[in-house]
Amino acid sequence: MVEWRISEAPVPYEEALAFMEDRVARIAAGEAEEMVWLLEHPPLYTAGTSAKREDLVDPDRFPVYDAGRGGQYTYHGPGQRVAYVMLDLNKRGRDVRCFVRKLEDWVITALAEFNVKGEIRDGRVGVWVTRPDKPRSADGALREDKIAAIGVKLRKWVSFHGISINLEPELEHFSGIVPCGIREHGVTSLVDLGIPATMVDLDLALRATFDRIMGDSSRTNTESC
């Protein structure tokens, strides 16, 4: 069984980290069930293990936290749904690449519930959407914007951190960093794409698609990857 938790008020980042540390330790010890935690944070930036100092454009704008997850800099704030996934890969198959791919597929499948086509790109972490409504780039290629970020960490093969999907955050807040180290593409959200979704709608889509993509922890199965 996977326990689902939804926090209505924004959760301070340090509080979320402390909770995940404790929960992951208890899952690894067999003392707690797996969990998916849906929440929002107050405005802040986080640095992954590959973050480059020059990508923190405005270091005094919001608090900056060392996340300890993979990846580079990202923004969290109101209007963005964060899903922290504390899952036991000992039961789900010890394949990190497969696990990350499934997280990407989960996001893409949830976005499809809103008729939004999310895609992944080689060399670019996260989930992207093409923007035919925007001017093409200098080489004639369609513009692409990032709608979801992915960054995970494992301890004793139990995951924490996870995904974030932009529902209606203040997109200008991303300008204080180079999101995930990618300068040539932008950032978007469901509302920016003209989708009048609510956080409840997004949560329902995430819940409805989770088992379909992430699978059942009672069996080890990596064939779909």
Side-chain angles (χ1 to χ4, degrees):
M1 296 292 294
V2 176
E3 179 184 349
W4 286 77
R5 175 178 178 176
I6 300 178
S7 294
E8 300 294 338
V11 179
Y13 195 71
E14 291 173 323
E15 178 181 321
L17 286 180
F19 180 91
M20 285 192 287
E21 290 277 354
D22 176 72
R23 184 70 178 221
V24 165
R26 292 195 294 125
I27 293 171
E31 299 171 354
E33 300 290 345
E34 297 177 301
M35 172 181 276
V36 176
W37 185 12
L38 304 178
L39 68 146
E40 296 171 84
H41 285 304
L44 56 90
Y45 298 129
T46 65
T49 54
S50 301
K52 300 176 181 177
R53 179 63 183 81
E54 60 269 25
D55 288 344
L56 183 59
V57 179
D58 190 354
D60 298 323
R61 189 170 192 176
F62 297 125
V64 181
Y65 294 94
D66 183 359
R69 52 154 176 81
Q72 301 187 43
Y73 282 106
T74 193
Y75 165 77
H76 294 311
Q80 181 191 74
R81 177 51 91 209
V82 174
Y84 286 137
V85 289
M86 290 155 272
L87 302 177
D88 189 353
L89 271 64
N90 291 292
K91 300 176 181 179
R92 294 174 176 271
R94 293 185 176 187
D95 189 324
V96 178
R97 182 174 297 181
C98 178
F99 178 62
V100 172
R101 180 58 187 269
K102 283 189 174 184
L103 289 176
E104 293 171 337
D105 288 346
W106 180 33
V107 172
I108 289 169
T109 306
L111 291 174
E113 298 285 301
F114 304 97
N115 295 316
V116 172
K117 185 180 180 181
E119 299 176 286
I120 58 174
R121 293 288 183 262
D122 289 340
R124 279 195 260 142
V125 179
V127 177
W128 301 79
V129 294
T130 57
R131 301 300 304 268
D133 55 314
K134 288 188 172 183
R136 290 175 177 257
S137 62
D139 62 1
L142 284 173
R143 297 283 184 178
E144 296 183 339
D145 286 342
K146 190 172 189 176
I147 194 168
I150 297 172
V152 296
K153 181 178 179 179
L154 298 178
R155 180 172 298 153
K156 295 183 178 179
W157 290 101
V158 180
S159 69
F160 49 128
H161 299 284
I163 67 173
S164 60
I165 302 177
N166 296 332
L167 175 74
E168 193 180 9
E170 176 51 69
L171 295 179
E172 199 278 329
H173 289 173
F174 285 89
S175 67
I177 57 173
V178 178
C180 298
I182 299 170
R183 298 177 182 274
E184 61 271 24
H185 297 283
V187 181
T188 190
S189 68
L190 284 172
V191 172
D192 181 54
L193 293 172
I195 309 297
T198 68
M199 198 65 79
V200 172
D201 296 330
L202 182 53
D203 289 347
L204 289 173
L206 289 168
R207 289 288 299 268
T209 56
F210 179 84
D211 285 339
R212 191 190 322 166
I213 303 301
M214 300 305 293
D216 184 347
S217 66
S218 65
R219 62 180 183 273
T220 298
N221 180 12
T222 61
E223 293 179 359
S224 62
C225 298

